[in-house]
Amino acid sequence: MTQKVFPIRSARAPAPAHDGPAPLDTLGRSLRDLRISVTDRCNFRCVYCMPRETFDHDFKFLPHEEILRFEEVARLARLFAGLGVKKVRITGGEPLVRRDLPRLIAMLAQIPDLDLTLTTNGSLLAKHAPALAAAGLKRVTVSLDSLEDATFRALNDADFPVARVIEGIEAAAAAGLAPVKINMVVKRGVNDAHVLDMAERWRGTGHIVRFIEYMDVGSSNGWRMDDVVPSAQIVQAIGARHALEPVDPDYTGEVAERWRYADGAGEIGVISSVTQAFCASCNRLRLSAEGSLYTCLFAEHGHDLKWLLRRGGSDEEIVNEVAAVWRARGDRYSEIRTAETAKARKVEMSYIGG
Ligand code: SAM
């Protein structure tokens, strides 16, 4: 039987008044990074993220009118910047399937001192990289789970070849969106044997591969702890081939643990959200394509902002609402993860973005 997974609708809690520019949550964390999903649709069906059994022809994606318009996104982003957001990552679904995305990038690029980046599966990047860069995008992260073509085609379940993602990475670099970060989600028995090849391919290129532990996001991927390859093993395996040295984080709350090759051939990163939870410094907020705020990647519920936007809420009301949501935040899912919590009904990654 086909199991249907729908995004969980948002709560509309009344917001107490906001009384300062940089709110702290209940664990003393400030807001810094905002991920904005611009669509819940994707042209891939990665088996661990949007399995076809669930995300099939009958799946109800968000209707067009429920998705925030670019003007709405840009207005919210500007208000978030006023609350301390320094970095915005555009995500999805697949953000490059959203028509005319450079127009949104151009609007966001006008916000002063904002680090503006985008995460993509790379399939449409060769086509769009020049326009994205010209619009003011600074960098891109490209997901690529294997260099072995058969494995990659099977993982994306769209028969999409590795070579075209590499073309996208090269086009991004040529357009000035470098260094490109290349994210590989590692799943035991699926692509863990390809980690060393991935590291080797990008060593010395200036691009940065980041190995991500497979996570129990959503409730459609059948996650098991046994599927997770601890990042420490990955660092050890790569370090056994080329000596590695730790690198200090760029800023507090950076999720990737950074390592550089001792011979100067560049750096790699690992994101250990399962084996070394980084909730204590998590400064991330997520805005779904339909305008709901999520204070954790593993959240069960969001907070609807669109109703406030569309009923003519003032900037002050919106800022107060966001600040109230942030102040009430106490999420630390990865620190308290168990086999039982992993089964909970959480928001899907394709809905909220990575
Ligand atoms: N379509 C874009 C892309 O492919 O980068 C953006 C959205 S995608 C949901 C963002 C990232 O989440 C991708 O790198 C993807 O591999 C990662 N991801 C999805 N499910 C995951 C899981 N269960 N564990 C770890 N990473 C996951």
Side-chain angles (χ1 to χ4, degrees), residues 41-44 46 48-50 90-95 119-122 141-145 183-186 212-218 221 223 273 349-354:
R41 290 166 197 259
C42 188
N43 54 345
F44 282 9
C46 296
Y48 59 83
C49 184
M50 292 185 83
I90 302 297
T91 179
E94 170 48 41
T119 294
T120 172
N121 62 27
T141 297
V142 178
S143 304
L144 178 60
D145 294 331
N183 277 359
M184 172 176 180
V185 175
V186 183
I212 304 179
E213 289 179 352
Y214 174 55
M215 295 182 285
D216 53 324
V217 281
N221 68 6
W223 182 90
S273 45
M349 186 87 146
S350 56
Y351 168 77
I352 202 177

Short mmCIF file of all heavy atoms in Angstrom, two decimals, residues 41-44 46 48-50 90-95 119-122 141-145 183-186 212-218 221 223 273 349-354, ligand 1:
data_model
loop_
_atom_site.label_atom_id
_atom_site.label_comp_id
_atom_site.label_asym_id
_atom_site.label_seq_id
_atom_site.Cartn_x
_atom_site.Cartn_y
_atom_site.Cartn_z
N ARG A 41 9.10 20.70 -4.68
CA ARG A 41 9.23 19.76 -5.80
C ARG A 41 10.69 19.52 -6.14
O ARG A 41 11.53 20.39 -5.92
CB ARG A 41 8.54 20.32 -7.04
CG ARG A 41 7.04 20.33 -6.89
CD ARG A 41 6.39 21.19 -7.95
NE ARG A 41 5.04 21.50 -7.54
CZ ARG A 41 3.96 20.88 -8.00
NH1 ARG A 41 4.06 19.96 -8.93
NH2 ARG A 41 2.77 21.19 -7.53
N CYS A 42 10.95 18.35 -6.71
CA CYS A 42 12.32 18.03 -7.11
C CYS A 42 12.26 17.16 -8.36
O CYS A 42 11.33 16.38 -8.53
CB CYS A 42 13.03 17.29 -5.97
SG CYS A 42 14.80 17.06 -6.27
N ASN A 43 13.28 17.30 -9.20
CA ASN A 43 13.35 16.46 -10.40
C ASN A 43 14.09 15.15 -10.13
O ASN A 43 14.22 14.32 -11.02
CB ASN A 43 13.99 17.23 -11.57
CG ASN A 43 15.34 17.80 -11.21
OD1 ASN A 43 15.71 17.89 -10.03
ND2 ASN A 43 16.10 18.22 -12.20
N PHE A 44 14.62 14.97 -8.92
CA PHE A 44 15.21 13.70 -8.51
C PHE A 44 14.24 13.00 -7.56
O PHE A 44 13.36 13.65 -6.97
CB PHE A 44 16.53 13.92 -7.76
CG PHE A 44 17.73 14.25 -8.63
CD1 PHE A 44 17.61 14.52 -9.98
CD2 PHE A 44 19.01 14.26 -8.07
CE1 PHE A 44 18.72 14.83 -10.77
CE2 PHE A 44 20.13 14.55 -8.84
CZ PHE A 44 19.99 14.84 -10.19
N CYS A 46 15.65 10.89 -4.94
CA CYS A 46 16.69 10.22 -4.16
C CYS A 46 16.03 9.25 -3.19
O CYS A 46 15.09 9.62 -2.46
CB CYS A 46 17.56 11.24 -3.42
SG CYS A 46 18.47 12.28 -4.60
N TYR A 48 16.69 7.98 -0.46
CA TYR A 48 16.71 8.21 0.99
C TYR A 48 16.00 9.50 1.36
O TYR A 48 15.94 9.87 2.52
CB TYR A 48 18.15 8.24 1.50
CG TYR A 48 18.99 9.32 0.86
CD1 TYR A 48 18.95 10.62 1.33
CD2 TYR A 48 19.81 9.04 -0.24
CE1 TYR A 48 19.69 11.62 0.73
CE2 TYR A 48 20.56 10.02 -0.83
CZ TYR A 48 20.49 11.32 -0.35
OH TYR A 48 21.22 12.31 -0.94
N CYS A 49 15.49 10.23 0.37
CA CYS A 49 14.92 11.56 0.64
C CYS A 49 13.50 11.67 0.11
O CYS A 49 12.58 12.04 0.83
CB CYS A 49 15.81 12.63 0.02
SG CYS A 49 15.30 14.32 0.38
N MET A 50 13.30 11.33 -1.16
CA MET A 50 11.97 11.41 -1.77
C MET A 50 11.64 10.09 -2.46
O MET A 50 11.48 10.03 -3.69
CB MET A 50 11.89 12.54 -2.79
CG MET A 50 11.98 13.93 -2.21
SD MET A 50 11.75 15.20 -3.47
CE MET A 50 9.98 15.33 -3.58
N ILE A 90 19.36 29.20 -0.01
CA ILE A 90 18.16 28.85 -0.77
C ILE A 90 18.18 27.35 -1.03
O ILE A 90 19.19 26.80 -1.46
CB ILE A 90 18.12 29.62 -2.12
CG1 ILE A 90 18.17 31.13 -1.88
CG2 ILE A 90 16.90 29.24 -2.93
CD1 ILE A 90 17.00 31.68 -1.12
N THR A 91 17.04 26.71 -0.76
CA THR A 91 17.00 25.26 -0.89
C THR A 91 15.63 24.83 -1.39
O THR A 91 14.84 25.64 -1.87
CB THR A 91 17.41 24.61 0.46
OG1 THR A 91 17.36 23.19 0.34
CG2 THR A 91 16.55 25.03 1.62
N GLY A 92 15.36 23.53 -1.31
CA GLY A 92 14.07 23.02 -1.78
C GLY A 92 13.78 21.71 -1.08
O GLY A 92 14.33 21.47 0.00
N GLY A 93 13.06 20.85 -1.69
CA GLY A 93 12.95 20.48 -3.09
C GLY A 93 14.22 20.83 -3.86
O GLY A 93 15.27 20.95 -3.28
N GLU A 94 14.07 20.97 -5.13
CA GLU A 94 15.22 21.41 -5.92
C GLU A 94 15.00 22.87 -6.30
O GLU A 94 14.09 23.17 -7.09
CB GLU A 94 15.37 20.52 -7.16
CG GLU A 94 16.37 21.03 -8.18
CD GLU A 94 17.73 21.44 -7.58
OE1 GLU A 94 18.24 20.77 -6.68
OE2 GLU A 94 18.27 22.50 -8.00
N PRO A 95 15.77 23.79 -5.73
CA PRO A 95 15.48 25.21 -5.93
C PRO A 95 15.53 25.64 -7.39
O PRO A 95 14.81 26.56 -7.79
CB PRO A 95 16.55 25.93 -5.11
CG PRO A 95 17.60 24.92 -4.83
CD PRO A 95 16.94 23.58 -4.83
N THR A 119 21.70 25.56 -2.25
CA THR A 119 21.99 24.13 -2.30
C THR A 119 21.20 23.51 -3.43
O THR A 119 19.99 23.74 -3.53
CB THR A 119 21.59 23.46 -0.96
OG1 THR A 119 22.43 23.96 0.06
CG2 THR A 119 21.74 21.97 -1.02
N THR A 120 21.87 22.73 -4.27
CA THR A 120 21.20 22.18 -5.46
C THR A 120 21.70 20.77 -5.74
O THR A 120 22.80 20.40 -5.32
CB THR A 120 21.49 23.08 -6.68
OG1 THR A 120 21.00 22.44 -7.86
CG2 THR A 120 22.97 23.38 -6.88
N ASN A 121 20.87 20.01 -6.47
CA ASN A 121 21.35 18.69 -6.89
C ASN A 121 22.24 18.82 -8.13
O ASN A 121 22.76 17.83 -8.63
CB ASN A 121 20.19 17.73 -7.13
CG ASN A 121 19.23 18.18 -8.23
OD1 ASN A 121 19.61 18.89 -9.14
ND2 ASN A 121 17.98 17.73 -8.14
N GLY A 122 22.40 20.02 -8.65
CA GLY A 122 23.36 20.26 -9.73
C GLY A 122 22.83 19.96 -11.12
O GLY A 122 23.48 20.31 -12.12
N THR A 141 26.32 25.00 -3.02
CA THR A 141 26.63 23.67 -2.53
C THR A 141 25.92 22.69 -3.45
O THR A 141 24.73 22.87 -3.75
CB THR A 141 26.12 23.49 -1.08
OG1 THR A 141 26.81 24.42 -0.24
CG2 THR A 141 26.36 22.09 -0.57
N VAL A 142 26.64 21.70 -3.92
CA VAL A 142 26.05 20.73 -4.85
C VAL A 142 26.03 19.36 -4.17
O VAL A 142 27.06 18.91 -3.64
CB VAL A 142 26.86 20.67 -6.16
CG1 VAL A 142 26.28 19.62 -7.10
CG2 VAL A 142 26.88 22.03 -6.84
N SER A 143 24.90 18.70 -4.20
CA SER A 143 24.80 17.36 -3.62
C SER A 143 25.25 16.34 -4.66
O SER A 143 24.80 16.39 -5.80
CB SER A 143 23.34 17.07 -3.24
OG SER A 143 22.88 18.07 -2.37
N LEU A 144 26.13 15.46 -4.26
CA LEU A 144 26.61 14.42 -5.19
C LEU A 144 27.02 13.23 -4.33
O LEU A 144 28.00 13.30 -3.60
CB LEU A 144 27.79 14.96 -6.01
CG LEU A 144 28.44 13.98 -7.00
CD1 LEU A 144 27.43 13.48 -8.04
CD2 LEU A 144 29.62 14.64 -7.72
N ASP A 145 26.25 12.14 -4.41
CA ASP A 145 26.44 11.06 -3.46
C ASP A 145 27.38 9.95 -3.91
O ASP A 145 27.74 9.08 -3.12
CB ASP A 145 25.08 10.43 -3.10
CG ASP A 145 24.20 11.42 -2.35
OD1 ASP A 145 24.75 12.29 -1.65
OD2 ASP A 145 22.96 11.34 -2.47
N ASN A 183 28.36 18.06 -1.33
CA ASN A 183 27.85 17.29 -0.20
C ASN A 183 27.56 15.86 -0.60
O ASN A 183 26.82 15.61 -1.54
CB ASN A 183 26.52 17.90 0.30
CG ASN A 183 26.73 19.08 1.22
OD1 ASN A 183 27.87 19.45 1.53
ND2 ASN A 183 25.64 19.66 1.69
N MET A 184 28.14 14.94 0.14
CA MET A 184 27.87 13.51 -0.09
C MET A 184 27.24 12.92 1.16
O MET A 184 27.87 12.90 2.22
CB MET A 184 29.19 12.79 -0.41
CG MET A 184 29.05 11.28 -0.49
SD MET A 184 30.64 10.53 -0.98
CE MET A 184 30.20 8.79 -1.02
N VAL A 185 26.00 12.47 1.05
CA VAL A 185 25.37 11.77 2.17
C VAL A 185 25.85 10.33 2.11
O VAL A 185 25.75 9.69 1.05
CB VAL A 185 23.83 11.82 2.06
CG1 VAL A 185 23.18 10.98 3.16
CG2 VAL A 185 23.33 13.25 2.13
N VAL A 186 26.39 9.85 3.21
CA VAL A 186 26.97 8.50 3.21
C VAL A 186 26.03 7.53 3.91
O VAL A 186 25.66 7.73 5.07
CB VAL A 186 28.35 8.51 3.92
CG1 VAL A 186 28.98 7.12 3.85
CG2 VAL A 186 29.27 9.55 3.28
N ILE A 212 28.30 13.73 4.84
CA ILE A 212 27.19 13.95 5.77
C ILE A 212 26.66 12.62 6.29
O ILE A 212 26.41 11.70 5.48
CB ILE A 212 26.04 14.70 5.04
CG1 ILE A 212 26.57 16.00 4.46
CG2 ILE A 212 24.86 14.94 5.96
CD1 ILE A 212 25.52 16.79 3.70
N GLU A 213 26.51 12.53 7.59
CA GLU A 213 25.91 11.31 8.14
C GLU A 213 24.44 11.23 7.73
O GLU A 213 23.72 12.24 7.78
CB GLU A 213 26.01 11.32 9.68
CG GLU A 213 27.45 11.10 10.13
CD GLU A 213 27.63 11.13 11.64
OE1 GLU A 213 26.67 11.48 12.36
OE2 GLU A 213 28.74 10.81 12.10
N TYR A 214 24.06 10.06 7.34
CA TYR A 214 22.67 9.81 6.93
C TYR A 214 21.76 10.02 8.15
O TYR A 214 21.99 9.45 9.22
CB TYR A 214 22.59 8.38 6.40
CG TYR A 214 21.22 7.90 6.07
CD1 TYR A 214 20.41 8.59 5.18
CD2 TYR A 214 20.74 6.71 6.62
CE1 TYR A 214 19.15 8.12 4.86
CE2 TYR A 214 19.49 6.23 6.30
CZ TYR A 214 18.70 6.94 5.42
OH TYR A 214 17.45 6.47 5.12
N MET A 215 20.73 10.84 7.98
CA MET A 215 19.91 11.25 9.13
C MET A 215 18.48 10.71 9.06
O MET A 215 17.97 10.41 7.97
CB MET A 215 19.81 12.77 9.19
CG MET A 215 21.12 13.46 9.45
SD MET A 215 20.90 15.24 9.56
CE MET A 215 20.68 15.70 7.87
N ASP A 216 17.85 10.70 10.21
CA ASP A 216 16.46 10.22 10.32
C ASP A 216 15.47 11.36 10.10
O ASP A 216 14.53 11.53 10.87
CB ASP A 216 16.23 9.57 11.69
CG ASP A 216 16.63 10.47 12.84
OD1 ASP A 216 17.63 11.22 12.70
OD2 ASP A 216 15.95 10.45 13.89
N VAL A 217 15.70 12.14 9.06
CA VAL A 217 14.75 13.22 8.77
C VAL A 217 13.48 12.61 8.18
O VAL A 217 13.53 11.55 7.56
CB VAL A 217 15.32 14.25 7.77
CG1 VAL A 217 16.26 15.21 8.45
CG2 VAL A 217 16.02 13.56 6.62
N GLY A 218 12.36 13.32 8.37
CA GLY A 218 11.10 12.86 7.80
C GLY A 218 10.68 11.52 8.36
O GLY A 218 11.19 11.05 9.39
N ASN A 221 11.86 7.52 4.92
CA ASN A 221 13.07 6.87 4.39
C ASN A 221 13.49 5.61 5.13
O ASN A 221 14.51 5.01 4.80
CB ASN A 221 14.23 7.88 4.27
CG ASN A 221 14.74 8.35 5.61
OD1 ASN A 221 14.32 7.86 6.65
ND2 ASN A 221 15.65 9.31 5.60
N TRP A 223 14.79 5.02 8.03
CA TRP A 223 16.14 5.17 8.62
C TRP A 223 16.39 4.15 9.73
O TRP A 223 15.50 3.86 10.53
CB TRP A 223 16.25 6.58 9.18
CG TRP A 223 17.56 6.94 9.78
CD1 TRP A 223 18.61 7.50 9.14
CD2 TRP A 223 17.95 6.82 11.16
NE1 TRP A 223 19.64 7.72 10.03
CE2 TRP A 223 19.25 7.32 11.28
CE3 TRP A 223 17.33 6.33 12.31
CZ2 TRP A 223 19.94 7.36 12.47
CZ3 TRP A 223 18.01 6.36 13.52
CH2 TRP A 223 19.31 6.87 13.59
N SER A 273 25.77 14.95 12.31
CA SER A 273 24.57 15.31 13.09
C SER A 273 24.02 14.15 13.88
O SER A 273 23.24 14.35 14.80
CB SER A 273 23.51 15.90 12.18
OG SER A 273 23.41 15.12 11.04
N MET A 349 12.29 16.24 4.60
CA MET A 349 13.43 17.05 4.17
C MET A 349 13.13 17.78 2.85
O MET A 349 13.55 18.91 2.64
CB MET A 349 14.63 16.11 3.98
CG MET A 349 15.91 16.78 3.67
SD MET A 349 16.74 17.22 5.18
CE MET A 349 18.44 17.03 4.73
N SER A 350 12.40 17.12 1.97
CA SER A 350 12.11 17.74 0.67
C SER A 350 11.15 18.91 0.82
O SER A 350 11.08 19.78 -0.05
CB SER A 350 11.50 16.70 -0.28
OG SER A 350 10.35 16.15 0.30
N TYR A 351 10.41 18.93 1.93
CA TYR A 351 9.47 20.02 2.17
C TYR A 351 10.19 21.21 2.81
O TYR A 351 9.95 22.38 2.49
CB TYR A 351 8.35 19.51 3.09
CG TYR A 351 7.44 20.58 3.67
CD1 TYR A 351 6.44 21.16 2.87
CD2 TYR A 351 7.57 20.99 4.99
CE1 TYR A 351 5.62 22.15 3.40
CE2 TYR A 351 6.75 21.96 5.51
CZ TYR A 351 5.78 22.55 4.72
OH TYR A 351 4.97 23.51 5.23
N ILE A 352 11.09 20.92 3.69
CA ILE A 352 11.72 21.96 4.49
C ILE A 352 13.09 22.35 3.94
O ILE A 352 13.63 23.41 4.27
CB ILE A 352 11.84 21.44 5.95
CG1 ILE A 352 11.99 22.57 6.93
CG2 ILE A 352 12.97 20.49 6.10
CD1 ILE A 352 12.03 22.08 8.35
N GLY A 353 13.70 21.49 3.14
CA GLY A 353 15.04 21.79 2.60
C GLY A 353 16.12 21.26 3.52
O GLY A 353 15.90 21.04 4.70
N GLY A 354 17.33 21.07 2.96
CA GLY A 354 18.41 20.46 3.76
C GLY A 354 19.13 21.48 4.60
O GLY A 354 18.82 22.64 4.62
N1 SAM B 1 17.65 19.51 -4.04
C1 SAM B 1 18.70 20.18 -3.32
C2 SAM B 1 19.89 19.28 -3.17
O1 SAM B 1 19.87 18.15 -3.66
O2 SAM B 1 20.87 19.71 -2.58
C3 SAM B 1 18.29 20.79 -1.98
C4 SAM B 1 17.39 20.00 -1.09
S1 SAM B 1 18.04 18.47 -0.50
C5 SAM B 1 16.73 17.96 0.57
C6 SAM B 1 19.31 19.04 0.58
C7 SAM B 1 20.30 18.03 1.06
O3 SAM B 1 19.70 17.16 1.99
C8 SAM B 1 20.93 17.14 0.01
O4 SAM B 1 22.33 17.23 0.10
C9 SAM B 1 20.48 15.78 0.41
O5 SAM B 1 21.41 14.79 0.07
C10 SAM B 1 20.34 15.92 1.90
N2 SAM B 1 19.53 14.89 2.53
C11 SAM B 1 18.28 14.48 2.19
N3 SAM B 1 17.88 13.48 3.01
C12 SAM B 1 18.88 13.26 3.88
C13 SAM B 1 19.08 12.36 4.96
N4 SAM B 1 18.15 11.47 5.31
N5 SAM B 1 20.22 12.43 5.65
C14 SAM B 1 21.18 13.33 5.31
N6 SAM B 1 21.07 14.21 4.31
C15 SAM B 1 19.94 14.16 3.60
#
